[in-house]
Every structure is written in C-alpha cells, then in structure tokens.
Amino acid sequence: MHPLLRLAEEHGVRVVERPGPTRGGFAPDSRTIRLAPGMTVRTTRSVLAHELGHVVLGHTPSTAPAIRRQQERQADEWAACLLITADAYAAAEEARGPHLASLAFELDVTIELVLAYQRRLRRIGRENLSHRSMTPALAG
C-alpha cells in the first residue's frame, strides 16, 4: 500500500477515507481520492490503484456514458498493469487455474482488475504485456 500512497503524493493527490456512493472516487478539482471505509486491504489497494489510474491518465468527470465506461476500463487496465506482473499472473494461473476469485486472491487484487488484466492480455498478447505496460508494476 505504501508505494501507492507515495505515487499519490508524487502526483499531488490527497487520499482520504470517507463514505460515498461508490468504493472510491477522484475529484480533480480538489486533487483528492476518496476511499470508502471498511474495505479489505486487497480491495482498498485495488480501488486506490484504479483511482490513481484516473489521475495519471488525466481523466476528467464526464456525464457521457460512453466516455465514463471508457475511462473506467482504462483506469482498471492501468491499475491492473500497476499491480500485476506478467510473471505473477502466469504463476497465479498455474497455481489456481482460470477461476477468477482464486486468481484475484492469489494476485491480491479484485476480480475487476483480473478481468482488466485479461482484457489487456487478449488485446496485446502475453509476450508483449511486460514490454508494453502502461507503467511498471508495483506487485508484491
């Protein structure tokens, strides 16, 4: 969790724990990431990485559903590549098989991030994933 908090600090973003309508959110105007209280460490880590994805990718809130869906997919994929290495994913798949919840547990991320990682695998291929990641992984 500390590398994620350092990354937030490097981007001038404050992280707060506060209830809201979703598990997390990023307010560009106040440079604040909100995390819902009471989440597991695994979920908190995944949600924080997702919200950092919005920060790093320069997303601004949109009321257009298609743009929101695209931004959410991009933030999930960014977070997945931040938290999951190609080697860790391969090892998890070897140990756990294709079961999403088991992969998520093994990789210490949410199912949403496993699905996002799999989308990237399908799009660019396993051999290219570690070379073309959007950012170095912080797995571990």
Side-chain angles (χ1 to χ4, degrees):
M1 189 71 116
H2 295 292
L4 294 173
L5 293 173
R6 267 196 309 276
L7 186 59
E9 187 177 314
E10 289 170 12
H11 285 276
V13 174
R14 186 171 58 109
V15 178
V16 298
E17 190 176 67
R18 189 172 53 229
T22 59
R23 296 185 297 181
F26 171 56
D29 54 333
S30 65
R31 305 284 300 159
T32 302
I33 289 175
R34 178 193 54 77
L35 300 174
M39 294 187 292
T40 65
V41 172
R42 179 168 58 103
T43 300
T44 300
R45 178 176 182 259
S46 297
V47 171
L48 178 54
H50 170 93
E51 297 306 331
L52 283 167
H54 288 303
V55 172
V56 172
L57 296 170
H59 291 164
T60 55
S62 174
T63 57
I67 291 173
R68 282 201 46 86
R69 281 191 304 275
Q70 179 183 29
Q71 288 179 342
E72 293 305 313
R73 278 192 308 273
Q74 289 172 341
D76 273 348
E77 288 185 17
W78 188 92
C81 289
L82 182 71
L83 298 178
I84 303 169
T85 66
D87 290 342
Y89 183 83
E93 217 175 43
E94 176 80 20
R96 302 288 186 142
H99 188 259
L100 287 174
S102 295
L103 288 169
F105 180 81
E106 185 76 18
L107 293 164
D108 198 27
V109 297
T110 59
I111 289 172
E112 292 88 351
L113 294 192
V114 172
L115 290 168
Y117 195 84
Q118 290 175 341
R119 270 195 314 271
R120 269 192 68 78
L121 280 176
R122 282 190 301 276
R123 195 165 59 250
I124 67 174
R126 289 177 191 267
E127 65 282 351
N128 293 323
L129 189 64
S130 60
H131 303 301
R132 294 181 59 191
S133 292
M134 291 181 268
T135 187
L138 290 179

